Amino acid sequence: MRAVVIAAALLGSGAGGGYLLGATRTRPAVTSREPAPAERAPVVISDRGVSEAVLHRIVRAELDAAPLRTCEPVTPAPAPAPPVETAPFDDGMRHVDQALARHAWTPADASALARVLDAVSPEQRSQILSTLTPALNRGQIKLTYQGPLF
Amino acid sequence: MKRYGYPLLLVTMLVPLGIASAGLRQLQPVTIQIDSANQIVGASGNLADAYNSADTNQYIGCGGSATAGWCQAHDATPTADGTLNLAFCTTTDPQLIAHIRSISSDAFIAFSVDPATGLCRSLSVSHNSGYRPKAP
């Protein structure tokens, strides 16, 4: 009898505790936008419009008409341009600047410029010559000799 | 009359012969072209005529390397401050550089210059029987 009472007491406290624990949690409301499978309206295809064979033929024709897309060959990325050498250009411009400062173009300048012009890029070459030549024509730089300009 | 007849006849015969053997001869001294803004815009002249000129100022010519070329010309006036008697142009154009190579020692050349950049705008080279060769 005593055992029966203890068992009943344990059962009662367990159920009560479980109830209390459950009460502390708020259960998320179960929402579902989809109706239960039983509630879904059955899909009824009353008129398919085109038959499967016709549809297959249309798809086939469209695929045949579409331009064939091929994988383009992968071209390697162009190699990065070599760094522009600035030392010969700086040397050339320095000669021109010095000539402007002393108002004279000497055979030594001519020899140095000839070497520089062969070492620089076409753009740098034009830049050096576009600085020197107008100064010569304006008389800001005078030739100290009669001979080749460079 | 009879005394001077033969020599006179000889002179009469030889003078036209001398004229005929000369052909047309053109003298092309160096000239510098200057625009209204007092900027050098070109020059022209014959290389041999510049060399043969009585003055010691004239010269004209072009030169360069595989990558760049130049032309220069000095007229008959002496060099002095403020006088624009020396013209230059430079180029990196391969066609103009090739054209420069075609210049001979008795050619006539004419070049035009962009005054802002000094670059050669054009180069004309001419060879003609009327041009005088360089005198020794």
Side-chain angles (χ1 to χ4, degrees), chain A residues 25-95:
Chain A
R25 292 184 186 168
T26 52
R27 290 189 180 183
V30 178
T31 55
S32 175
R33 290 181 182 175
E34 292 184 2
E39 296 170 356
R40 280 185 186 165
V43 177
V44 179
I45 302 173
S46 59
D47 183 13
R48 297 176 72 170
V50 289
S51 69
E52 213 170 290
V54 170
L55 191 63
H56 183 78
R57 202 165 56 243
I58 291 168
V59 170
R60 186 76 260 165
E62 288 295 324
L63 284 172
D64 289 345
L68 187 65
R69 198 179 277 181
T70 56
C71 292
E72 293 177 4
V74 179
T75 52
V84 178
E85 182 67 53
T86 56
F89 172 72
D90 293 342
D91 190 35
M93 289 304 286
R94 185 170 49 80
H95 272 282

